[in-house]
Amino acid sequence: MTPLLPSSGHKINAHFVIGFVSFTLMRMLQAKLDFQFSMEQIGTSLQRYNCVQIAGNIYQFTYYDVILDACEKALGLELHNKYRSQLQIRRLLRY
């Protein structure tokens, strides 16, 4: 299956901007982590960091690794908590 490519000039520009911004943000994060990890390692780790709802308002985070630990220290976030409420998750996302 081949990917669909943007066809109009406006869509091509938007596609470029999104790619450029995501690349820039990833490089900034990589620099903040003192280039200890590759962009691929960081991307994979961030993709795996997710949670599942286990009870009414309680969510369990199912993945944590050394890259997330380094992000936590470099950015001053609390990513190590295994269980969080919906309010705690919203506060984390407002960083």
Side-chain angles (χ1 to χ4, degrees):
M1 184 174 209
T2 58
L4 295 174
L5 299 175
S7 57
S8 71
H10 179 69
K11 290 180 182 178
I12 291 171
N13 288 341
H15 185 77
F16 173 79
V17 168
I18 290 169
F20 180 76
V21 168
S22 64
F23 177 80
T24 302
L25 290 173
M26 185 65 80
R27 289 295 283 181
M28 290 171 64
L29 179 56
Q30 191 180 27
K32 193 81 168 167
L33 299 175
D34 296 324
F35 297 96
Q36 295 175 18
F37 310 102
S38 70
M39 288 174 59
E40 183 178 354
Q41 290 172 313
I42 295 169
T44 300
S45 181
L46 292 175
Q47 286 176 345
R48 291 180 179 168
Y49 185 66
N50 64 9
C51 64
V52 292
Q53 185 176 15
I54 57 173
N57 190 29
I58 303 298
Y59 294 83
Q60 178 181 2
F61 284 82
T62 59
Y63 184 80
Y64 191 79
D65 63 7
V66 294
I67 297 173
L68 291 170
D69 185 60
C71 289
E72 180 178 58
K73 291 173 184 169
L75 301 173
L77 298 173
E78 290 186 17
L79 303 175
H80 66 279
N81 292 345
K82 190 166 184 162
Y83 301 100
R84 292 183 183 267
S85 69
Q86 190 175 23
L87 180 61
Q88 291 171 321
I89 295 169
R90 284 184 182 162
R91 287 181 182 154
L92 179 65
L93 294 174
R94 286 188 187 148
Y95 177 81

